[in-house]
Amino acid sequence: MVQYIGTAATARRRRRRPSSVGRADESPLLARLDWTLLLASAALVAYGLWAIGGITRHVVPGDPNYYLSRQFVFVAVGLLAMIAAIAIDPEWYRRSMRGVYVLMLGTLAIVLLAGSVSRHSRRWIDVSFFRFQPSEFGKLMLVVFLAAFLADRLDRIEDFRTPLTAVALAVPPILLVFAQPDLGSALVYVAALGACLFVSGSRWSLLGLLAGVGLFLAVAVLWLLPAAGIQVLHPYQKNRLTGFLSPSSDPRGDTYNINQALIAVGSGGVNGRGTTQSTQTNLNYLPESQTDFAFAAFAEQRGFLGVSGLLLLYLLVVWRGLKIVTVARDGFSAIVAAGVVFAFVFQIFVNVGMTIGLAPVTGITLPFVSVGGSSLIASMAMIGLLQGIHARGRQRRA
């Protein structure tokens, strides 16, 4: 398990090449970035703009570039967030862990108290022309807080009390997101929690116990509590889960979304139908084609080759992110990198999975592709956070 990223082999390399220390320590921050990750992220941003330009061309009559022009603005803001995340030493987040936790809980609570409602959910705070979704940024803040909490107690990580306390601290933000209701993001929070516990070195027995408790809670929410007359999920959420188990049961009702998504993905074929012939997307048969079902709309327009390029870029980002885990300068940085990368992978899996019948429809965005400022800015901030860890990790190894 990762408790401190530093090895004897690294120490031997340092002793063999003493002259490289000065050069590495004095090298500018820009030279210590992971340029493969940076280029892959830039390609993802460009890919997302290309996808949005085609998907939203017919959404607003008379203004085919409405969503695309707004997305360019969000790219500019996201670039500033990424630069800021690179410039700030991760140690600052560690020292500010309490403030991060309070800010996360505060913004999530404000959503429930004064957030705007859209399509059964209260997830957003309207700020002028920008609709801010705190749960997107909460993923990063939760990982940073958990990493700081666990890293300060790595010498006691095998004691059940430390990881269980971390779980207890993660429950309030998870419940606040679940109450919006935003089941998809709540699951991403749970996935990030699991990754932080795993990388910090928690006992396998405890991880198994927590997995068992999670499974029991899922069974209770889906079957035991409803049988006792206690409904935890909203009716539309139950219908989505039922539709996942039996997608052909009600193609004009509860399973309409998943059936239209499957038709869109299948009709794209190898090369796609282009932006003009994509009837599922252009004629609004596919719901939420620019957000939740952006992958299905993109698959219809660009086909297997188009989505393969997108998934390969995702894979490249994940590979570089995992590599950063191995070169982080300390346990805190390693846990942060692992947490954000795993949350990123889980979000992609759920979004893509729900469009092809491998996961229930949960209303979760596809990073870099779905229309929305919060998702894009948070994704670019994640890249900046990874770059900041990588740059300072290389400095430490040298």
Side-chain angles (χ1 to χ4, degrees), residues 57-58 66 109 118 157 159 173 186 268 282 302 338 343 369:
R57 182 171 297 274
H58 302 280
Y66 174 80
S118 178
I157 196 64
D159 183 352
N282 297 343
R302 305 304 175 184
V369 176

Side-chain angles (χ1 to χ4, degrees), residues 364-377:
I364 192 171
T365 58
L366 183 63
F368 294 101
V369 176
S370 293
V371 168
S374 296
S375 176
L376 179 61
I377 295 170

Side-chain angles (χ1 to χ4, degrees), residues 17 24 35 53 57 69 82 120 167 172 199 251 288 294 304 337 371 387-388:
R17 297 183 295 177
W35 283 92
R57 182 171 297 274
S69 59
M82 184 174 70
H120 310 290
V167 172
V199 176
E288 305 296 333
F304 175 79
V371 168
Q387 290 284 10

Side-chain angles (χ1 to χ4, degrees), residues 59-123:
V59 175
V60 180
D63 191 355
N65 295 321
Y66 174 80
Y67 284 105
L68 182 61
S69 59
R70 290 170 62 89
Q71 201 72 2
F72 268 107
V73 175
F74 297 143
V75 168
V77 178
L79 184 60
L80 294 177
M82 184 174 70
I83 293 173
I86 294 174
I88 298 173
D89 192 312
E91 185 63 25
W92 182 85
Y93 303 115
R94 185 174 185 171
R95 295 195 302 267
S96 307
M97 57 177 289
R98 291 181 177 83
V100 169
Y101 187 71
V102 172
L103 178 62
M104 174 179 57
L105 291 181
T107 54
L108 292 176
I110 290 174
V111 172
L112 294 180
L113 296 175
S116 57
V117 179
S118 178
R119 296 178 178 85
H120 310 290
S121 300
R122 188 187 297 271
R123 305 179 185 177

Side-chain angles (χ1 to χ4, degrees), residues 5 27-28 35-36 58 68 75 78 82 98 105 114 156 170 196-197 212 218 227 300 360 370 383 385 398:
I5 306 300
S27 61
W35 283 92
T36 302
H58 302 280
L68 182 61
V75 168
M82 184 174 70
R98 291 181 177 83
L105 291 181
R156 293 171 280 163
C196 291
L197 292 175
E300 182 186 21
S370 293
I383 298 299
L385 185 58

